[in-house]
Amino acid sequence: MLVGDMKRILAGIVCVIGLGSSAAAQDITQLEKISSVASFTKTEKAITFDCQDHSQVRLTVLAPDLIRIRAAFAKALPANDHSWAIAKDDWNTPRWILSEMADSIVVSTDEVEIIVHRSPLLIEFRDARTHEVINVDEQPMAYDAKGTLAGMMFDSNAGMFVAASKTLGFDEHFYGLGEKAARLDKRRERFINWNSDTPGYTEGKDPIYQTIPFYLGLQHGNAYGIFFDNSYRSYFDFGHSSQQRAWFGAEGGEMSYYFFYGPSMKKILSRYAELTGHMPMPPMWALGNQQSRWSYYPDTTVEEVARQYRERDLPLDVIHLDIDYMQAYRVFTFDTKRFPKPKDLSEKLGKQGVKIVAIVDPGVKYQPSVPINISRGRSPSNPELDPQDRRYYVFDDGLSHNYFQRRKSGELFIPKVWPGDSVFVDYSLPEARRWWGDLHRAYLDNGIAGIWNDMNEPSDFVDQTGKNQTDVVSYDEGENSTHAKNRNVFALLEARATYDGLERLQPNKRPYVITRAGYAGIQRYSTMWTGDTNSSWESLALNIPMFTTLGLSGEPFVGSDVGGFIGRGNGELLVRAYQISFLAPFCRNHKVIDGYDQEPWRFGKYYEDIIRKYLKLRYQLLPFLYTSLEEAHRTGVPLFRPLVLNYQEDPNTYNLDDEFMVGKDLLVAPVQRPEIMQRLVYLPKGVWYDYWTNKKYQGGTMIRVDAPLETVPMFVRAGAIIPLGPQMNYVGEKSFNPLTFEIYPDDDGSAATTLYEDDGVSPAYQRGVFRRTIIDVKRAKTGYVVNIAAPTGNYNPGPREFSFVINSSPTPKFVRIADEGRGRTIEIR
Ligand code: MIG
C-alpha cells in the first residue's frame, strides 16, 4: 500500500469519527420539545394554545389556504410582532370552524384542515376536501432550552435555536429558498441562510448572497408552501441528515411560519406575493439589453461602448457604471476627471437610446472633516460634482444625524470596503432610509436612470462571515437588536430606501433597482442578479436552476452576468450564455476588472452574428416578454419558469432543470456544455412546434434535436399565440407597429393569447392605464376565424396594424388589419 493511500484512509477514518460524534450533536431531536396542549382560547382569527411548559402556540387563519403558526417556548407570545418581509397583515378572515376532539383540536377552512394533536403537540395539515395529509410535524416544535446545543450543532455561538420538523415524504420534492447555487429539486440537500459575499461561487457553495426562507413541497402532484419568517441565520434540511424529516430552524428569533396550501404551485406563489408583496412593474427598458464592465471609464470609453453597439447594429438599452465612476469610491459623487460632466454624458447616450445605471454600495467612506473652513465651491446644490477630499458631504450629513451603525459600546462601526474605512447606514431607521433615498438626487440630476446596489450582504473586507459585526446594533423598531437578527435584512432595507427615494424624487417614473443581497419581500423594491459567477460551463449550467428557483421564491426579475464574471470566457460560451439570457428578465453582460473583454463582438464576427440574432429576437419578443412580466407582477407567477410549474402533475418535470419555459407557451432547451451540437429535450404532453422550422412534435417524451451553435432548441406550445413587435435597437425606438401574432393552432385548430400593453415608463398602470386584449383563434370550415375582443383598460397605444401568421400550414398565411381598438372578428382563408 502506498503511503498516500494510507494517509487517505486515515483521513477517511478521522473524518468518519468526526462525523459520528457530531452527527449525534447535530440531531435536531435533541432539542427541547414544546410540551402538550393544556388549554386553548379562540378569537375571531386565531386559536392560542397554552402548553404545559408555559409555551404558547398560535394558529391564525389568514385565508382559506394560508395559515400562520407562531410559537413561543416556555413563555407567552410577545405582543411585538414585526417583520420587514410582510406586505399585508390586514386579512379578511375567511370562514373557518373549530372542532374539539379528545386527542386533538381541528380547524377547518374551505381548503385546508389543520389537526393539532394535543400530546405530543403535533400539527398536521390536510386537504379539507380529500382529507389527504399534506404536511405533518415529525416532532413537536423545539428549541435550545439550555442555550448550548446550537453552538455545538452549528459551530456558532448563537446560544438559541428554534426549529420545526416535518415528516419527509418518500416522493416529496422541494423547490425555492431563493438564491442557491444548487439544482432545482432540493430534495436530500441542506442549506444555510446568511447573506454572504461569495465571488466565484460554484454549485454547492452555501450560503451565497440572499436569504429567502420560503420553500415549496410537492408530493403526488399536490404542493404546499412554508415561509419561515425569521431573519436570523437559518437552516433548511430536506432529508439530508435523516430520511425521516425535512426540518428548518434558526439561531434565534421566533418560530413563526406561514403554511400555504395549493394544491397548485401557482396559487401558492400568488398568495406568497400577496403576503410579501408584488413586484412592481419596472420600466420596459429594463427588459432591454444591458452592458456592464468593472469598470468603464472615463466618459469617452462609455461613449465608445455605445458607439460600438450602434455601429454593429446590436441592440442596447443600458450601460452600467461600476465603482470607478466615483471619487475614490465615495458613493453619491462622480470622479471629477473621469466623469466631469455626467449629465452631458447621459444626454449624449440618451440621444442614442442608451441609459445609464450606476452602482451604489452601502459603504460610505469614513472621512472625518478636516477642521478648517472650506467653501463648498461652485455648485453647493450639486456636491456630487465637487471634490470631496476635504469634506465628504454624505459622511458629514449622516454623522451629524447619527444615521450610521454603531457597536454596542456606542462607537461607530467601521468596516473596510472599497473606500477603505467606511460606515454603514442603519437602514432600519425610517429617517435614515428617507435621507439615503433623497441622496439619489445626485444621480437623477445627472440623468442616471437606475441604481445597482452591490456589496449589501453587507460585505466587509475585515471579515466576510459577520464576526466583525456581531455587536453592531440596529434600531429595529426600537428593539435595538444586533447583527444576528439584522444581517439578512440589511439589503432589503437598503433597497427599500433606494426604491422609495427614486419614487419620491421622480414620481412619474418607475424606479429601477438591482440588488445582490436580499431577504423575502425584496421583490417589492428591487430586481436582482446572481452575483459573481465564473466564465465556465459549470457556472453557466447554474443559470436555469437558479433563475427558475428565484422565480419560485417570489423574485421574478432575475438574471446573471452574461458570459460569466470571473475568468476568461470564449465565443462559444458567450453564445450559449446569450441563448439562455436572451429570455431572462435581466439580460446584462458583465465582467470583472481584470478579466478578458467580453462584449458581444470580442471573440470575432462569427459569434457576434449569432449573438445579434438572439438580441434582435429578444426585442421582437418584447410584447410577449412584457405581457409575461406583467403577469408576474400581478399574480406572482414568474415568467422564467421551470417546467414543473406548468406541468405539476407530470413527474418527469420534477427535477428537470436543463430546460425552461417563458410563460406557458415557449419552451427552451439550451446547450450548456462545450462542443455539443445535439441534445435530448423533454416535451410535456401535448403538441409542440419547433420554433425555427414549425415542425410538429407529439409531447410526453424525450426527443433528440440538432442544436448547432446558431440554434437554441425552442418550442411553442400548440394552442399558443406569440405576439411580436418590429426589430429595434432599443426600447422605444419604434412603437409596436405592426404587431405580429404568430399563431400555433392545437389539434382542434384553436389558439389564444392575452396581450398586455401600457406606457412602459410611468406608474399610471397602477391606476388602470393599460390595455389588455384577448385574441382567440378557431378553425372554421375553410380557414381560421380570429376574434379580437374589445380591449380592457384605459391605455391607448394609438393606431397600428395587427398581422396574423398561421404556422400550421406549410406556407404561412397572413392577414392584416388595422387595429381601431374595438373588438372585431376577421376570417383568414
Ligand atoms: O468586491 O463593484 O458582484 O458585479 O463588478 C467586488 C465591483 C465588488 C462585486 C459585484 C460585481 C462588481 C464588483 N463588485
Side-chain angles (χ1 to χ4, degrees):
M1 184 184 283
L2 295 171
V3 179
D5 287 305
M6 190 63 200
K7 272 193 191 145
R8 231 171 289 141
I9 288 166
L10 277 177
I13 291 168
V14 171
C15 172
V16 167
I17 294 168
L19 270 181
S21 60
S22 68
Q26 267 189 15
D27 198 332
I28 111 156
T29 58
Q30 286 177 53
L31 293 169
E32 184 89 6
K33 291 163 203 73
I34 209 161
S35 72
S36 41
V37 174
S39 62
F40 68 89
T41 51
K42 178 181 184 279
T43 62
E44 187 213 333
K45 296 175 181 228
I47 307 185
T48 305
F49 301 93
D50 289 296
C51 304
Q52 248 120 33
D53 62 356
H54 306 294
S55 296
Q56 261 189 346
V57 176
R58 182 167 300 151
L59 184 162
T60 311
V61 180
L62 301 174
D65 55 0
L66 181 61
I67 309 294
R68 182 177 178 199
I69 304 289
R70 224 185 135 193
F73 299 99
K75 62 178 184 211
L77 282 161
N80 182 21
D81 179 24
H82 172 261
S83 159
W84 299 110
I86 300 299
K88 173 171 171 141
D89 51 18
D90 56 334
W91 298 83
N92 288 328
T93 310
R95 69 175 166 182
W96 59 281
I97 52 166
L98 180 145
S99 340
E100 206 180 335
M101 314 283 178
D103 303 339
S104 62
I105 294 109
V106 181
V107 171
S108 313
T109 71
D110 288 349
E111 298 179 30
V112 63
E113 186 175 82
I114 309 107
I115 299 156
V116 180
H117 299 273
R118 293 179 199 251
S119 183
L121 199 174
L122 297 171
I123 305 176
E124 184 174 341
F125 297 91
R126 297 186 177 198
D127 183 309
R129 288 148 298 205
T130 64
H131 306 287
E132 197 184 331
V133 178
I134 303 303
N135 179 273
V136 59
D137 280 352
E138 181 258 349
Q139 65 168 39
M141 290 181 281
Y143 67 112
D144 184 5
K146 296 172 213 79
T148 51
L149 202 58
M152 279 165 57
M153 286 166 78
F154 306 110
D155 181 33
S156 77
N157 18 3
M160 239 322 262
F161 206 81
V162 298
S165 182
K166 307 289 187 173
T167 298
L168 177 69
F170 187 76
D171 268 327
E172 194 168 4
H173 299 264
F174 295 92
Y175 307 100
L177 278 198
E179 190 191 40
K180 292 294 171 195
R183 303 288 297 271
L184 173 68
D185 182 356
K186 305 210 163 28
R187 181 178 173 81
R188 293 308 189 110
E189 296 198 63
R190 68 166 161 193
F191 299 94
I192 300 177
N193 292 312
W194 185 245
N195 292 0
S196 301
D197 181 356
T198 50
Y201 67 86
T202 50
E203 184 179 334
K205 176 75 184 173
D206 188 59
I208 57 170
Y209 309 101
Q210 299 207 355
T211 295
I212 314 288
F214 168 65
Y215 72 90
L216 297 160
L218 175 66
Q219 180 154 244
H220 311 312
N222 288 341
Y224 66 89
I226 286 184
F227 172 38
F228 176 36
D229 188 9
N230 183 315
S231 66
Y232 286 80
R233 189 197 309 260
S234 57
Y235 300 79
F236 286 78
D237 181 317
F238 301 120
H240 179 89
S241 59
S242 150
Q243 304 193 21
Q244 258 169 283
R245 63 185 70 94
W247 66 266
F248 51 90
E251 292 180 355
E254 270 188 24
M255 174 43 63
S256 166
Y257 71 90
Y258 295 81
F259 181 87
F260 302 74
Y261 183 44
S264 118
M265 293 169 87
K266 289 179 182 166
K267 179 161 163 269
I268 297 167
L269 294 178
S270 288
R271 270 288 183 230
Y272 178 78
E274 196 179 357
L275 180 68
T276 65
H278 290 256
M279 167 195 75
M281 286 299 278
M284 194 197 278
W285 53 261
L287 283 177
N289 182 40
Q290 312 195 21
Q291 179 66 54
S292 183
R293 181 69 202 255
W294 177 10
S295 304
Y296 289 131
Y297 69 83
D299 46 9
T300 49
T301 299
V302 179
E303 286 175 51
E304 179 61 17
V305 173
R307 205 182 63 75
Q308 289 282 341
Y309 259 94
R310 291 293 172 249
E311 196 177 286
R312 293 168 183 278
D313 189 30
L314 290 162
L316 181 72
D317 264 272
V318 181
I319 296 180
H320 289 248
L321 297 185
D322 206 329
I323 47 177
D324 297 286
Y325 75 84
M326 301 179 245
Q327 289 177 34
Y329 309 120
R330 288 179 189 84
V331 285
F332 304 101
T333 71
F334 289 90
D335 185 296
T336 50
K337 291 204 185 63
R338 293 170 176 172
F339 293 91
K341 291 181 176 162
K343 188 154 200 246
D344 288 2
L345 176 67
S346 51
E347 275 166 11
K348 269 191 216 162
L349 295 188
K351 288 198 186 107
Q352 305 167 64
V354 177
K355 303 198 162 53
I356 301 178
V357 166
I359 197 168
V360 179
D361 287 352
V364 171
K365 186 177 172 66
Y366 173 80
Q367 187 183 325
S369 294
V370 180
I372 49 165
N373 241 352
I374 298 161
S375 87
R376 273 195 169 162
R378 62 198 153 86
S379 50
S381 59
N382 291 84
E384 71 274 12
L385 302 176
D386 278 347
Q388 298 289 324
D389 48 340
R390 310 296 297 272
R391 289 182 78 109
Y392 174 28
Y393 76 107
V394 179
F395 180 81
D396 283 354
D397 284 2
L399 189 69
S400 70
H401 289 108
N402 200 16
Y403 290 155
F404 299 134
Q405 288 186 333
R406 291 176 183 275
R407 295 188 185 273
K408 262 186 189 156
S409 63
E411 304 163 69
L412 273 185
F413 165 52
I414 306 184
K416 276 200 194 333
V417 263
W418 285 105
D421 283 352
S422 302
V423 289
F424 289 156
V425 171
D426 179 359
Y427 297 110
S428 75
L429 273 171
E431 53 281 25
R433 285 203 298 276
R434 196 180 171 91
W435 170 70
W436 185 263
D438 286 345
L439 284 171
H440 288 77
R441 176 211 53 75
Y443 295 112
L444 302 183
D445 279 1
N446 291 290
I448 303 297
I451 299 297
W452 169 22
N453 282 163
D454 186 23
M455 304 290 282
N456 50 5
E457 292 70 34
S459 180
D460 175 359
F461 298 158
V462 175
D463 156 59
Q464 291 293 13
T465 67
K467 288 210 175 81
N468 183 36
Q469 311 187 41
T470 316
D471 65 344
V472 172
V473 179
S474 292
Y475 170 69
D476 187 24
E477 304 264 294
E479 253 189 64
N480 295 310
S481 55
T482 54
H483 193 62
K485 183 178 178 201
N486 296 305
R487 181 184 183 86
N488 286 342
V489 294
F490 182 85
L492 172 71
L493 296 175
E494 184 205 25
R496 175 168 167 176
T498 306
Y499 182 92
D500 290 350
L502 297 179
E503 196 177 43
R504 261 195 320 276
L505 293 164
Q506 291 190 334
N508 295 324
K509 287 189 182 169
R510 302 176 194 170
Y512 180 39
V513 184
I514 304 153
T515 186
R516 192 168 73 178
Y519 183 74
I522 187 71
Q523 70 277 2
R524 304 202 292 271
Y525 313 113
S526 186
T527 66
M528 68 85 63
W529 99 109
T530 61
D532 298 345
T533 56
N534 298 313
S535 295
S536 72
W537 293 97
E538 291 70 26
S539 199
L540 182 68
L542 280 174
N543 274 186
I544 298 176
M546 287 184 77
F547 298 174
T548 51
T549 292
L550 282 152
L552 295 178
S553 312
E555 283 185 86
F557 207 103
V558 299
S560 162
D561 292 345
V562 182
F565 184 64
I566 295 168
R568 184 172 181 140
N570 59 54
E572 186 190 2
L573 180 70
L574 187 63
V575 164
R576 293 305 195 191
Y578 273 108
Q579 287 177 347
I580 298 172
S581 283
F582 86 107
L583 291 173
F586 184 54
C587 178
R588 183 191 69 167
N589 179 323
H590 180 46
K591 194 73 196 175
V592 69
I593 189 163
D594 55 358
Y596 191 73
D597 291 316
Q598 191 169 274
E599 291 88 353
W601 55 85
R602 295 290 190 180
F603 300 103
K605 182 170 183 304
Y606 175 67
Y607 302 105
E608 181 189 342
D609 287 348
I610 304 174
I611 294 167
R612 180 181 302 102
K613 163 175 151 186
Y614 287 93
L615 290 179
K616 295 251 177 204
L617 180 55
R618 177 181 178 90
Y619 278 73
Q620 282 206 271
L621 284 169
L622 276 172
F624 171 70
L625 291 173
Y626 196 65
T627 296
S628 310
L629 187 67
E630 192 274 340
E631 185 186 345
H633 148 70
R634 184 171 32 87
T635 69
V637 178
L639 56 163
F640 197 104
R641 300 181 188 171
L643 271 67
V644 63
L645 185 55
N646 287 338
Y647 298 92
Q648 188 178 319
E649 67 299 329
D650 180 356
N652 294 315
T653 65
Y654 291 178
N655 50 31
L656 191 63
D657 60 10
D658 64 354
E659 314 176 5
F660 65 92
M661 291 191 70
V662 183
K664 64 183 191 332
D665 295 334
L666 208 57
L667 187 155
V668 188
V671 169
Q672 309 179 83
R673 294 278 174 261
E675 292 161 34
I676 300 287
M677 302 295 157
Q678 269 199 345
R679 67 160 283 175
L680 293 176
V681 179
Y682 179 71
L683 296 176
K685 276 212 182 67
V687 175
W688 297 84
Y689 290 84
D690 182 305
Y691 180 82
W692 307 106
T693 64
N694 280 341
K695 183 177 169 190
K696 266 194 193 182
Y697 289 94
Q698 197 63 48
T701 186
M702 285 275 186
I703 59 166
R704 178 190 282 276
V705 296
D706 287 334
L709 197 54
E710 296 74 20
T711 308
V712 62
M714 213 154 92
F715 302 86
V716 185
R717 188 183 60 82
I721 300 177
I722 308 281
L724 290 137
Q727 281 202 0
M728 53 180 107
N729 277 322
Y730 58 91
V731 171
E733 184 192 22
K734 297 172 191 160
S735 59
F736 292 116
N737 186 22
L739 267 172
T740 305
F741 294 90
E742 298 268 353
I743 299 163
Y744 298 88
D746 63 14
D747 282 345
D748 301 332
S750 309
T753 197
T754 303
L755 176 72
Y756 173 85
E757 300 165 282
D758 63 26
D759 68 25
V761 287
S762 86
Y765 71 98
Q766 292 165 345
R767 303 187 307 268
V769 187
F770 58 77
R771 172 180 285 207
R772 196 168 276 127
T773 312
I774 297 176
I775 291 167
D776 195 271
V777 175
K778 295 240 167 348
R779 188 157 48 217
K781 273 214 186 82
T782 54
Y784 287 89
V785 174
V786 177
N787 188 51
I788 309 167
T792 54
N794 302 324
Y795 175 64
N796 182 357
R800 65 264 168 87
E801 263 178 26
F802 283 7
S803 301
F804 297 91
V805 181
I806 307 262
N807 284 308
S808 73
S809 51
T811 37
K813 293 173 185 165
F814 296 85
V815 64
R816 232 176 256 280
I817 62 155
D819 165 38
E820 289 160 14
R822 283 178 278 118
R824 52 169 60 223
T825 304
I826 345 148
E827 218 166 315
I828 309 175
R829 284 170 207 274

